[in-house]
Amino acid sequence: VRCQLCPPQRALQASAVLRRVSDEHKKEPAASSSQHQFDSHPTDHQPEQEPQGPRPSYTGQGGQESEDYESEEQLQHRILTAALEFVPEHGWSAEAIAEGAKTLGLSAAAAGMFHNDGSELVLHFVSQCNTKLSELLEQEQKLVQLGKTEKKTTDQFLRDALEARLRMLIPYIEKWPQAVSILLLPHNIPSSLSLLTSMIDDIWHYAGDQSTDFNWYTRRAVLTGIYNTTVLVMMQDSSPDFEDTWRFLENRVADAVNMDSTAKQVKSTGEALVQGLMGAVVTVSTAARALRAE
Amino acid sequence: ARGLAANKETHFGFQTVSEEEKGEKVYQVFENVAKKYDIMNDSMSLGIHRVWKDVLLYKMNPSPGILLLDVAGGTGDIAFRFIDYVRSVRERQLRRKLKHHQNLSWQEIADSYQAEAVKPLGDSQVVVCDINKEMLKVGRQKAQHLGYSEGLSWVVGNAEELPFGDEKFDVYTIAFGIRNVTHIDLALQEAYRVLKPGGRFLCLEFSQVNNPLLARLYDLYSFQIIPVLGEIIAGDWKSYQYLVESIRRFPPQEEFKAMIEDAGFLKVDYLNLTSGIVAIHSGFKL
């Protein structure tokens, strides 16, 4: 709730840092609508013309500059994106964010906008990866529809989708245990869980899953379990180009897909849930270990 | 209008005085209390003011290289804490760097120790600015006594008209000072001016208690006990009467937040400490 009687000089005071949206438009890709934002108010990209900062627009006073500037949230996203390159050196922390802010020409104090524990940086990265994955899958689907490539089998599709998604972690793999432990912090769990489920949803959607019965839960639980366990394997994998990880992934997906009848599916839902739970337990204990080691 | 009328009035505690008078009267108050300032803080707040200041530094989370301007910083409490914080962050950084390089030659190890000795603060600096020379004098003596020398400067200046160029500092703090400024909006504008883009404004100040029961007790304590303490310990009833009254005159959290936004700061927020006895307001120059 902003104050109602804002003095005119505020609208005329040009922001020191927020860029004009016209510069932004050329660079930022629009997020796909299936992507859940992890902040409670999704930043809509359409009304970029409306200010989302505290400045109301004064159409009658020529103060239209406030309408054209990016919002604070967009600036924050820019800072976080810039901060990613410093993660291998500083980890997922406020220091990395401070370095990122500096590359944008801001004071390192701007990192104070975020939590001290680097949560937002990790969540931002995961959200970015999920967006990239959705785009990849969307493009692939278009190619299939245009008949330029063949439709893959389900297990091949799942393997490729997960591999593509996991490969995005490679530049940060050394610091990924720290990221996992941050994602499991109680105050981050709602956001990280929502990002995870929306990613799995996406993959199944593009895999052509149209189930409306119990299979829906089965498939999601199974794939979540596969994803989590593969991440854990990847973090400890030292083979060239992570080939051990991809082989592990291949085997898990094959297991999952080769369940024949629905009856078996129902039984294996229990197994899948156990698998997912085991994955979660292993994740938590690894993360706890990682936390202690940090 | 900056006091164009010679008799523009403002408040000095619960009294009404002209704007010119207020500046002088405030100066006298702090001139009188300077020597006993720290002792009085401890006895009035039962030592809790140390926690408040620690929380301020925790929120700031400065990294080595940050330039801090501490306005109305008088006796240096914030400045010393800043130096300690940055020093420990720097040590941690160097230690982490050493841990990463498993096979260091002796030369490299020696070099890194030298780097730490040469730049223990990593280029961080704090400028303590205060309008009152007595307070600064006490601060400098304290610094000498406690062994703080590096990265510290003491400057006389008025918060409404700072003697610094534009966009010089990363963080601007004002702890328990802004309620004494005659024109708070000018001080906020000056803060905006001297901060670099992305810079942060932090204000630690007494504010409104949100709990009605505690408010009663707090009022009782403020008006009955604090001036008495002032008389006993510092020999100055009136100054502490002013202090308690000036707290009541200061705008509450939301109103002050709006004032900060008016100066142009974004992402303005506040944190209540001790149920609102004290609040930390934070804003960014974006």
Side-chain angles (χ1 to χ4, degrees):
Chain A
V1 172
R2 308 294 171 186
C3 75
Q4 310 296 338
L5 315 156
C6 304
Q9 68 226 53
R10 216 206 282 180
L12 298 175
Q13 191 169 39
S15 159
V17 169
L18 300 182
R19 290 206 311 227
R20 302 192 86 93
V21 155
S22 44
D23 299 336
E24 278 300 305
H25 260 306
K26 299 173 196 156
K27 292 185 192 170
E28 285 198 353
S32 63
S33 49
S34 64
Q35 186 61 46
H36 289 226
Q37 292 290 344
F38 60 83
D39 7 295
S40 45
H41 7 266
T43 44
D44 8 307
H45 287 247
Q46 247 325 306
E48 260 164 353
Q49 309 310 315
E50 280 158 21
Q52 290 183 345
R55 266 100 44 94
S57 51
Y58 289 95
T59 44
Q61 296 188 354
Q64 79 287 5
E65 307 129 338
S66 57
E67 292 177 344
D68 292 334
Y69 282 94
E70 64 176 349
S71 71
E72 297 152 17
E73 274 126 41
Q74 286 168 322
L75 175 65
Q76 285 183 293
H77 283 294
R78 268 205 300 142
I79 295 178
L80 292 176
T81 308
L84 288 175
E85 91 178 66
F86 297 97
V87 166
E89 190 188 336
H90 293 282
W92 304 90
S93 64
E95 284 167 350
I97 301 179
E99 292 295 321
K102 288 206 281 207
T103 57
L104 293 180
L106 294 175
S107 155
M113 285 196 280
F114 307 96
H115 280 130
N116 284 356
D117 58 8
S119 299
E120 281 109 330
L121 188 54
V122 183
L123 290 169
H124 171 82
F125 173 68
V126 172
S127 170
Q128 240 187 9
C129 288
N130 290 358
T131 311
K132 267 194 257 177
L133 179 67
S134 298
E135 285 171 5
L136 268 171
L137 295 178
E138 176 79 36
Q139 279 174 352
E140 214 181 279
Q141 193 186 51
K142 285 215 179 83
L143 289 177
V144 167
Q145 283 172 348
L146 294 175
K148 295 207 175 141
T149 32
E150 287 202 357
K151 188 165 157 59
K152 295 182 190 166
T153 55
T154 309
D155 62 327
Q156 183 68 41
F157 180 88
L158 294 177
R159 265 169 55 198
D160 288 345
L162 283 178
E163 186 179 326
R165 176 62 177 76
L166 289 168
R167 278 190 181 274
M168 300 181 200
L169 299 181
I170 292 181
Y172 307 99
I173 196 69
E174 277 187 30
K175 299 287 181 180
W176 196 247
Q178 184 194 9
V180 172
S181 67
I182 291 176
L183 288 172
L184 287 172
L185 289 172
H187 64 88
N188 286 331
I189 287 189
S191 318
S192 62
L193 207 52
S194 130
L195 283 169
L196 179 62
T197 51
S198 67
M199 174 192 73
I200 299 289
D201 262 346
D202 251 0
I203 296 179
W204 272 119
H205 167 77
Y206 285 104
D209 173 36
Q210 290 175 338
S211 54
T212 49
D213 56 355
F214 204 74
N215 278 328
W216 192 91
Y217 294 99
T218 315
R219 298 209 172 117
R220 271 144 195 79
V222 166
L223 199 56
T224 311
I226 297 178
Y227 175 79
N228 283 334
T229 43
T230 313
V231 169
L232 294 175
V233 168
M234 197 171 166
M235 289 197 283
Q236 292 152 343
D237 187 2
S238 50
S239 60
D241 196 37
F242 297 93
E243 19 179 77
D244 288 349
T245 309
W246 311 135
R247 210 172 319 125
F248 175 86
L249 178 61
E250 191 181 328
N251 292 335
R252 296 289 77 70
V253 172
D255 290 343
V257 168
N258 287 336
M259 300 175 197
D260 318 293
S261 65
T262 320
K264 240 178 155 194
Q265 285 248 5
V266 171
K267 172 171 166 268
S268 66
T269 298
E271 288 167 14
L273 286 175
V274 170
Q275 190 187 34
L277 261 164
M278 284 309 297
V281 167
V282 179
T283 309
V284 170
S285 60
T286 309
R289 232 176 297 139
L291 252 174
R292 244 178 287 137
E294 279 295 329
Chain B
R2 214 193 276 209
L4 289 173
N7 50 0
K8 188 121 191 285
E9 293 196 320
T10 180
H11 52 82
F12 177 75
F14 288 160
Q15 300 170 31
T16 308
V17 299
S18 74
E19 286 187 343
E20 295 162 353
E21 257 197 289
K22 169 153 183 174
E24 285 167 29
K25 286 175 101 83
V26 170
Y27 195 94
Q28 270 166 22
V29 163
F30 283 94
E31 204 175 34
N32 294 341
V33 307
K35 294 212 172 64
K36 300 282 183 149
Y37 187 71
D38 290 324
I39 297 185
M40 276 306 296
N41 281 347
D42 271 333
S43 36
M44 284 192 294
S45 69
L46 306 172
I48 303 180
H49 74 106
R50 295 164 190 248
V51 176
W52 293 332
K53 290 169 181 160
D54 288 341
V55 175
L56 179 67
L57 257 298
Y58 171 74
K59 269 215 100 183
M60 194 196 302
N61 194 21
S63 44
I66 293 260
L67 298 173
L68 171 67
L69 173 64
D70 183 28
V71 176
T75 54
D77 277 345
I78 304 291
F80 302 150
R81 281 174 171 76
F82 173 79
I83 292 177
D84 289 339
Y85 197 106
V86 169
R87 212 179 266 158
S88 70
V89 172
R90 180 104 179 110
E91 275 171 16
R92 204 174 0 121
Q93 269 181 353
L94 288 170
R95 241 183 292 138
R96 215 187 317 144
K97 237 189 255 181
L98 282 181
K99 241 207 289 181
H100 274 194
H101 308 296
Q102 300 291 354
N103 316 319
L104 284 181
S105 68
W106 285 114
Q107 185 57 43
E108 284 168 304
I109 296 179
D111 285 341
S112 78
Y113 280 133
Q114 238 192 1
E116 182 179 337
V118 163
K119 288 212 284 184
L121 293 180
D123 291 330
S124 272
Q125 290 216 20
V126 50
V127 177
V128 181
C129 179
D130 201 294
I131 200 174
N132 195 304
K133 297 199 185 77
E134 287 305 311
M135 294 286 279
L136 284 176
K137 207 159 88 172
V138 172
R140 287 171 95 141
Q141 285 167 352
K142 239 169 79 177
Q144 228 177 15
H145 180 64
L146 295 171
Y148 291 98
S149 54
E150 232 192 290
L152 192 53
S153 334
W154 308 84
V155 175
V156 176
N158 183 345
E160 298 179 14
E161 220 180 321
L162 291 170
F164 306 107
D166 296 356
E167 299 190 359
K168 292 276 181 239
F169 296 97
D170 294 297
V171 183
Y172 172 111
T173 51
I174 182 164
F176 302 119
I178 203 161
R179 72 178 189 286
N180 299 311
V181 172
T182 313
H183 301 102
I184 295 182
D185 52 342
L186 291 180
L188 293 173
Q189 283 171 27
E190 278 292 276
Y192 192 87
R193 181 180 68 79
V194 303
L195 277 175
K196 293 186 198 164
R200 188 173 195 183
F201 168 85
L202 281 167
C203 173
L204 175 66
E205 189 54 83
F206 289 106
S207 202
Q208 278 203 354
V209 178
N210 45 27
N211 176 332
L213 172 62
L214 189 60
R216 278 266 199 88
L217 291 171
Y218 180 54
D219 280 347
L220 200 72
Y221 182 75
S222 298
F223 287 101
Q224 307 302 334
I225 303 194
I226 289 185
V228 175
L229 277 179
E231 182 58 44
I232 297 176
I233 299 183
D236 192 345
W237 175 290
K238 281 207 165 130
S239 296
Y240 287 93
Q241 183 74 25
Y242 160 72
L243 176 128
V244 175
E245 291 175 1
S246 66
I247 293 176
R248 297 297 176 295
R249 282 302 206 144
F250 189 69
Q253 287 86 329
E254 281 292 326
E255 205 182 307
F256 188 50
K257 174 177 166 187
M259 288 171 77
I260 299 175
E261 283 170 348
D262 283 346
F265 289 100
L266 296 181
K267 289 213 68 88
V268 182
D269 204 3
Y270 59 86
L271 174 71
N272 278 334
L273 299 177
T274 326
S275 295
I277 294 183
V278 156
I280 298 181
H281 280 76
S282 158
F284 290 88
K285 176 174 178 173
L286 293 179

